[in-house]
Amino acid sequence: QVQLLESGGGLVQTGGSLRLSCAASGRLFGTYTMAWFRQVPGKERTFVAGRNWDGRRILYADSVKGRFSISRNNANNTVDLQMNSLKPEDTAVYYCAAERFSVVDMRERSYTIWGQGTQVTVSS
């Protein structure tokens, strides 16, 4: 079974930047649609960004458009989320999600493979 591992979370001040990485096990990464979600305790998990396996479709949540960027690192078999101009409202646990041979979808139920999450905290 494909496994996902997020890294790169941490504490940053308002206006700062972080780069999250999602590493996929094995060598099937290229066939997967990849997405980032985030969740605040007590609230629902929401879509942040995603791209299909060949990069032909990329989606962003309105709340992060222009600040966040999703990209693929073919050499390292990762999908990264560059987060700039961070705000306290971005504080959440960020999860990587994947679905094989799928198109990009903002719906949580469209993804069946999930990482464990990485904490991002933005101080005011």
Side-chain angles (χ1 to χ4, degrees), residues 35-39 43-48 95-99 104-114:
W36 288 93
F37 288 74
R38 64 187 181 186
Q39 186 173 34
K43 298 185 181 297
E44 66 180 8
R45 187 178 293 173
T46 58
F47 178 86
V48 177
Y95 295 90
C96 180
E99 184 64 32
V104 178
D105 197 313
M106 293 183 178
R107 297 172 297 181
E108 181 179 358
R109 67 178 183 271
S110 297
Y111 301 88
T112 59
I113 304 173
W114 294 83

Side-chain angles (χ1 to χ4, degrees), residues 32-79:
Y32 283 78
T33 290
M34 306 295 299
W36 288 93
F37 288 74
R38 64 187 181 186
Q39 186 173 34
V40 176
K43 298 185 181 297
E44 66 180 8
R45 187 178 293 173
T46 58
F47 178 86
V48 177
R51 58 171 281 157
N52 70 332
W53 69 274
D54 60 4
R56 294 174 64 88
R57 190 181 182 206
I58 300 175
L59 298 177
Y60 294 99
D62 289 340
S63 59
V64 307
K65 196 171 299 182
R67 300 188 298 120
F68 291 10
S69 179
I70 187 170
S71 62
R72 177 177 174 177
N73 187 321
N74 292 322
N76 296 333
N77 203 36
T78 65
V79 167

